[in-house]
Amino acid sequence: MQDNLRTRMGWLHAWVGFIAGLLLFCVFVTGSLSVFDTELTRWLQPEVPPQAPAFSPQVLDRTLPTVRELLQQGEKPFITLPSSRDPFVRVQHHDGYEFLTVPYNPQTGEQLQARDTAGGKFFYDLHYTLRTGLYGETLIAAAGLALLVTVGSGIIIHLRGLISDLLLVRPFAARLRAWLDVHILASVPFIPFVIMMAYTGTFIRTRTLFPPVSYISSIQNFVSPHRATEAEPPETKRDIPIGPSLPPLLDVAEKTLGKGQTGFILFLPNSVLFSRTDMSGPLLTREHVDFSPVDGHFLRHVLLSTPVTQTQQLMEGIHYARWTGTGLRWLYFLSGAMGAIMFASGAIIFLMKRRKVSGKRVMFRVAEGLTIGCIPGFLLATLAFFWANRLLPTSLPARHLAEVHCFFAAWCLSSTAGMLWSLLHRALPGWKIQLSALAFLGVLLTPLDFLTRPGASMLHAPTVFAATDICALLLGLASLQMVRRLRC
Amino acid sequence: MLILCLVFWLLGLGLQAACEPKMLRFARLPDLTLPPSVRWGRFIFPLLGLVIVFWSNPVVAIFVWAGTFSLAAVIVAIVWASLARVLESRR
Amino acid sequence: MLRGLLALGLAWTCAHLITVGSPQWGPGARHDSVVFGQMIAIAAFPVLLLIAFGTQKPLHGALIAGTACILAALGLLFHA
């Protein structure tokens, strides 16, 4: 083969893209879902009605017993105030993986009896840690760098046809041509989005890859605190002060932050932080006004505003997209979904191009098995999570963990099945079975929602429920169509 | 604002498709020699979209403009592919 | 393959040297200079990798990326 810039970039694009792409497919799917994490939590807690009465600040004090209980358990609870995305007051805490939430009526302060769920934040955690903490963060940050390299090489390969092929998609052409067109359509128009998300996302987790100290010191830093905690005696139950009333403090905080600009109230052992809402603008400032947890006197106002910090805040704000309105949020979601299609089609093209020559090799079978596990398998597990949320008994202890276990069990099962089918040279039935199962779970999610949601009605206004059901339905129908075409 | 910007991108990209020989060959359409004033629409419509989003909300303007471009490209490509299929089945 | 590994090694070294040297760029604003260094490192990594891998002659790519590494290493000596 002729050795020129395009062939070299083609090699880099294919191999780096395939290896990182399988992981990045999962990252883009979970990232797209995380754009609607708050809304998904509402779908996952169907007992909480779609509409809520207006917020009265007096109800904040009624959440304090729950807050105090969590503080006694050594947690760092926080209260999220109602917003356009979620009209309920919620007490939340991080259990090491997800933010678990307890909803309250924003007018009466009455606690709503909602099921224990990992919520939409499950996808958020999966998006940047894969539920494996620092190791997952490092792996995903490395995949982010690989994505930047893949996009760069892809642009170089495709530079000549960047404009002429921009709108060209031939779904009824030869299979490889059709998949290439899909790959180009899912990538070229979304290049600005992909570069923006890859750069900002990798930047947010840079410390895991490029710490500002040498690698030896950073490994020592990583290892030594663990040793210290192992030696520590078990923490005794702390005495938590009764604490000040929150509504007057909210008034004071809003004099600095602005009316309606308080997003959440974080309770730390030595202070109560009234933090600016992430929805206030593209800069994720996390500006906060702090008060004493004992008598509520003003402690400090924290706002970092140097040019570099503001750039950092802007990059975080752009990546998290919490400031956007509904329309822009949907654009983020669609762009993320197209990113996932880009990785899926790229992986399929990679396999198609090598099937003739290397189709019988074990490594090829393994690669195809991994692809089945990562693409339809991951989507299957995602839908299994939604099904588990509605089918598991609400009284189940540690129910949120049971949902997560269902997700991983489904993923593990589908990956193992995909790998076995592939190793047995039966990859096509493997694809078909997984896609059929995906279609089944996707299409039937709407009936499941109607059957298991209290007060469900066909004639309700567009809500998070309708949007989630329609997305699952579309995914199911797309899978069905793919199964149909695979039979040809 | 978002919808309007999307419409402008659809018009701009639709014209781009109609001016692109490769796209015309794919749909088996004859060479449409559009007058220069119409061809300029490829650049004017997107710019109009940008002006409108800036005028409406400068903070989100670039994001909406870039996002609607991506969405419009997908829509135009799918519509064009469907058109080509319909024209092919009629022959 | 070997060329790819060399390109990866050089690009990674350069990005690492940028972030290691960055705290010294602004002694009064360590946080800001570290963040700035990270911004540069993340942008430099893919560019250097593509250059190191993409040039016609492997030596040219290695030389360019190596020079970037030396420049980044000089940043370790730089005190604002």
Side-chain angles (χ1 to χ4, degrees):
Chain A
M1 203 201 308
Q2 199 188 356
D3 180 37
N4 57 28
L5 181 64
R6 276 191 83 191
T7 53
R8 280 193 296 279
M9 288 298 136
W11 185 89
L12 195 68
H13 186 75
W15 283 96
V16 176
F18 181 74
I19 294 165
L22 295 181
L23 174 63
L24 287 166
F25 174 83
C26 307
V27 172
F28 267 64
V29 170
T30 48
S32 305
L33 291 172
S34 300
V35 171
F36 288 113
D37 55 357
T38 308
E39 291 78 4
L40 284 176
T41 302
R42 293 174 66 194
W43 192 95
L44 296 161
Q45 286 186 324
E47 298 82 6
V48 181
Q51 270 84 35
F55 170 59
S56 156
Q58 306 309 318
V59 303
L60 290 174
D61 284 349
R62 293 200 61 183
T63 63
L64 286 176
T66 313
V67 169
R68 209 165 288 131
E69 210 175 287
L70 287 166
L71 280 168
Q72 271 171 344
Q73 290 166 14
E75 304 290 353
K76 288 174 186 164
F78 59 99
I79 305 170
T80 48
L81 271 55
S83 66
S84 53
R85 292 179 67 192
D86 182 15
F88 294 91
V89 172
R90 287 179 191 264
V91 175
Q92 307 199 37
H93 76 279
H94 195 247
D95 74 339
Y97 296 110
E98 284 90 38
F99 291 97
L100 302 177
T101 88
V102 181
Y104 287 83
N105 184 309
Q107 198 161 62
T108 62
E110 176 199 355
Q111 186 180 327
L112 300 171
Q113 294 307 315
R115 65 188 63 196
D116 176 25
T117 176
K121 290 283 182 197
F122 166 67
F123 298 109
Y124 173 68
D125 178 57
L126 208 58
H127 171 68
Y128 78 96
T129 70
L130 288 175
R131 259 184 114 77
T132 52
L134 193 65
Y135 302 108
E137 277 185 47
T138 312
L139 190 66
I140 290 175
L145 281 181
L147 175 56
L148 288 170
V149 172
T150 312
V151 172
S153 54
I155 292 172
I156 295 169
I157 297 166
H158 201 64
L159 208 56
R160 260 187 281 174
L162 210 60
I163 302 293
S164 61
D165 291 355
L166 178 71
L167 305 164
L168 194 60
V169 61
R170 289 157 287 189
F172 300 101
R175 260 161 217 262
L176 185 61
R177 182 71 261 166
W179 276 111
L180 271 168
D181 282 350
V182 169
H183 183 64
I184 290 168
L185 183 69
S187 29
V188 175
F190 296 89
I191 283 174
F193 174 81
V194 172
I195 292 177
M196 179 181 87
M197 294 314 259
Y199 182 70
T200 54
T202 313
F203 166 74
I204 291 167
R205 302 288 159 203
T206 324
R207 268 174 191 270
T208 59
L209 293 177
F210 303 122
V213 289
S214 74
Y215 284 122
I216 296 163
S217 329
S218 61
I219 290 168
Q220 278 171 346
N221 286 343
F222 179 66
V223 175
S224 54
H226 284 266
R227 284 185 186 152
T229 47
E230 276 166 21
E232 269 178 21
E235 206 174 306
T236 49
K237 216 172 185 186
R238 278 177 294 179
D239 194 27
I240 304 297
I242 303 291
S245 171
L246 295 176
L249 300 189
L250 181 66
D251 273 345
V252 177
E254 289 202 329
K255 276 182 189 134
T256 309
L257 301 175
K259 189 83 185 148
Q261 290 297 308
T262 309
F264 61 89
I265 305 164
L266 174 65
F267 295 85
L268 296 175
N270 300 320
S271 56
V272 180
L273 276 68
F274 284 67
S275 183
R276 179 180 284 283
T277 173
D278 294 346
M279 295 172 77
S280 65
L283 268 66
L284 195 79
T285 60
R286 286 288 160 90
E287 174 185 8
H288 52 91
V289 181
D290 304 356
F291 299 95
S292 160
V294 180
D295 56 6
H297 74 267
F298 173 81
L299 292 175
R300 65 190 87 83
H301 167 225
V302 179
L303 171 64
L304 300 172
S305 59
T306 59
V308 174
T309 317
Q310 282 190 331
T311 311
Q312 182 189 14
Q313 291 165 354
L314 179 69
M315 284 165 73
E316 288 173 354
I318 287 173
H319 192 87
Y320 291 125
R322 292 184 185 142
W323 54 280
T324 55
T326 314
L328 196 52
R329 200 174 289 278
W330 274 107
L331 282 180
Y332 263 80
F333 175 82
L334 288 171
S335 304
M338 290 306 280
I341 293 172
M342 170 180 80
F343 294 117
S345 54
I348 289 165
I349 292 165
F350 180 88
L351 294 173
M352 281 172 106
K353 280 187 171 174
R354 284 155 186 82
R355 194 182 296 280
K356 224 175 222 174
V357 179
S358 320
K360 297 265 186 284
R361 286 188 188 167
V362 178
M363 279 314 289
F364 181 88
R365 309 306 335 156
V366 171
E368 185 152 27
L370 284 173
T371 310
I372 297 174
C374 287
I375 298 169
F378 186 78
L379 295 173
L380 199 67
T382 304
L383 284 176
F385 175 81
F386 286 92
W387 275 73
N389 171 268
R390 290 299 176 87
L391 294 180
L392 288 172
T394 47
S395 56
L396 197 72
R399 197 178 171 284
H400 64 278
L401 284 177
E403 287 176 0
V404 174
H405 292 156
C406 284
F407 172 88
F408 282 107
W411 196 10
C412 193
L413 190 72
S414 62
S415 300
T416 312
M419 187 60 83
L420 284 176
W421 280 112
S422 183
L423 287 174
L424 293 169
H425 296 269
R426 296 278 182 276
L428 192 66
W431 281 101
K432 276 185 193 172
I433 292 169
Q434 303 261 349
L435 288 168
S436 306
L438 189 62
F440 177 83
L441 292 185
V443 170
L444 293 183
L445 192 73
T446 306
L448 177 80
D449 179 31
F450 276 95
L451 290 173
T452 55
R453 173 155 50 97
S457 149
M458 282 296 279
L459 298 166
H460 59 65
T463 61
V464 289
F465 298 99
T468 311
D469 294 351
I470 289 169
C471 285
L473 183 69
L474 289 176
L475 176 65
L477 293 175
S479 310
L480 211 58
Q481 172 65 7
M482 273 192 264
V483 174
R484 213 173 64 85
R485 295 260 338 235
L486 275 175
R487 282 204 181 105
C488 297
Chain B
M1 178 261 289
L2 193 147
I3 302 287
L4 203 61
C5 187
L6 180 66
V7 171
F8 279 123
W9 267 121
L10 285 173
L11 290 169
L13 291 173
L15 276 175
Q16 167 64 28
C19 293
E20 184 64 49
K22 211 172 176 179
M23 295 294 286
L24 294 170
R25 273 200 304 276
F26 164 53
R28 290 180 193 166
L29 286 169
D31 191 11
L32 307 168
T33 32
L34 297 171
S37 53
V38 179
R39 292 172 79 93
W40 271 100
R42 293 182 290 168
F43 311 107
I44 290 170
F45 283 123
L47 281 176
L48 271 175
L50 185 64
V51 169
I52 281 180
V53 285
F54 255 106
W55 173 72
S56 169
N57 187 354
V59 176
V60 299
I62 290 294
F63 302 98
V64 171
W65 193 66
T68 46
F69 155 71
S70 310
L71 187 58
V74 173
I75 295 170
V76 171
I78 292 171
V79 169
W80 199 269
S82 313
L83 178 80
R85 183 74 172 166
V86 170
L87 290 176
E88 196 186 325
S89 62
R90 276 191 192 165
R91 282 194 185 104
Chain C
M1 183 76 173
L2 196 69
R3 194 176 173 190
L5 287 174
L6 179 71
L8 173 70
L10 285 169
W12 196 281
T13 306
C14 181
H16 180 55
L17 288 172
I18 291 170
T19 44
V20 170
S22 63
Q24 295 166 43
W25 298 351
R30 192 178 183 274
H31 173 261
D32 279 11
S33 51
V34 167
V35 169
F36 188 52
Q38 287 171 341
M39 284 175 195
I40 297 170
I42 296 293
F45 177 85
V47 174
L48 279 177
L49 199 147
L50 290 174
I51 291 173
F53 190 77
T55 49
Q56 186 70 39
K57 289 184 180 166
L59 188 66
H60 288 177
L63 275 175
I64 295 169
T67 311
C69 285
I70 292 166
L71 286 174
L74 287 174
L76 287 165
L77 309 171
F78 179 73
H79 291 271

